[in-house]
Each structure stands twice: as C-alpha cells, then as structure tokens.
Amino acid sequence: MSEVHPEPRLQPDDAAFRAAMADLPAAVSIVTTTAPDGTPRGATVSAISSLSASPAMLLVCLDQGSDTLAALGPGRPFLVHVVADGQQDHAMRMAGKGAGKFEDTAWRTGLSGQPQLEGAAIVFGCRVTDFVPGGDHTIVLGTIEAIEHDPDRQPIVYHRRKLAPAPTA
C-alpha cells in the first residue's frame, strides 16, 4: 500500500488575508473588564461566537498585546457589548491602543461590577472559563451569567472596512 502525502499548503500573504476578512461581514462588539488596579479596560472585536447553549457560553478572540486581555484571568468577569447603530464612535475609540478609551464614552458600573457601555444592543455578562492560544490572538471562553437585550437597537457590522447598521429582514 502506498502512502498518501498531502500537497503542501501555502500560507496566504497578510494583505490577501486581511482583504478577504474585511469582505466577511462581522458583528462589532466591545469587550470590557476591570484591571486588578480598578482601571476600566476595553477592546473592539469582530471575532465572537456562541459556543454552547448548555451551559450558555461564548468565545471572544483578543490580540495577545491587548490591555483588556492582560486584565482577564481565570474566573474573572467581563462584558461583551454588541454595538448598536449610533455607537460607531465608541467602537472606533475602543479599537485603539492606550489610555483614554473611556473618556467621552457613556458608561456605568454594570453587570458583574464591570464597565458597561450605555446603549448597546446586547450585553453579555460573562466569566472567564478558559484561554486557548490561537496564533497572535487568544481565544477567551466565557460562561454567560447575565444578558441584557434591547431588540429596538440595531446592531452594527464591520464590512469592507466600514461600520454600518446590520441589515434587517
């Protein structure tokens, strides 16, 4: 019996990968938590997904250099905000690096005592279950402990490098 050798797979270049992913519509979410010193942390992400219905879980992918990821640890609470139309400026601000992300952003201490942005379409209150390495990102698995959902708010999507309201049926 002869051995079957798969053909070598080529890696796409970075520009091709980024261009293809920009064409894939994705929900825009903001992850928030509080650092151990009490400082609010936040990051805009487009890679979240439901993971399990029983127990209710989701996953979030955060850049390994993220201050928000650095503030998380096993069992720590965090919030995932599905950004609503009209909050595009929040998404852009939280996508940046460094301090000042919460300046000029309406927020309060919310679910699980974490920084909660006002006006999100959905907020998931989660607790870190596990971390899984994934290239230059870390996949954060979270058990959902609470949900606030406002069906009257229209979520936004990232598509072709722009933020726009999600289409309605």
Side-chain angles (χ1 to χ4, degrees), residues 106-160:
W107 67 280
R108 62 183 166 80
T109 300
L111 297 174
S112 303
Q114 299 310 299
Q116 185 166 336
L117 306 177
E118 298 291 339
I122 307 168
V123 180
F124 296 98
C126 302
R127 193 159 301 274
V128 174
T129 304
D130 205 355
F131 298 96
V132 179
D136 59 3
H137 280 61
T138 295
I139 303 163
V140 180
L141 306 182
T143 300
I144 299 170
E145 298 179 332
I147 300 173
E148 290 184 7
H149 179 204
D150 185 344
D152 293 328
R153 295 197 184 268
Q154 185 71 22
I156 63 172
V157 295
Y158 175 76
H159 184 233
R160 295 187 176 162

Side-chain angles (χ1 to χ4, degrees), residues 30-35 38-42 77-79 81 94 102 107-117 123:
I30 297 173
V31 177
T32 60
T33 193
T34 305
T39 305
R41 299 286 187 216
F78 67 98
L79 303 182
H81 306 76
M94 294 288 176
F102 286 85
W107 67 280
R108 62 183 166 80
T109 300
L111 297 174
S112 303
Q114 299 310 299
Q116 185 166 336
L117 306 177
V123 180

Side-chain angles (χ1 to χ4, degrees), residues 69-116:
L69 177 62
L72 292 173
R76 299 250 325 133
F78 67 98
L79 303 182
V80 176
H81 306 76
V82 177
V83 180
D85 190 23
Q87 295 186 307
Q88 286 85 337
D89 59 331
H90 294 348
M92 296 305 294
R93 188 176 305 111
M94 294 288 176
K97 300 278 186 197
K101 291 183 180 185
F102 286 85
E103 294 174 14
D104 300 322
T105 300
W107 67 280
R108 62 183 166 80
T109 300
L111 297 174
S112 303
Q114 299 310 299
Q116 185 166 336

Side-chain angles (χ1 to χ4, degrees), residues 16-44:
F17 175 74
R18 289 178 183 273
M21 293 308 295
D23 210 31
L24 176 67
V28 178
S29 298
I30 297 173
V31 177
T32 60
T33 193
T34 305
D37 69 359
T39 305
R41 299 286 187 216
T44 299

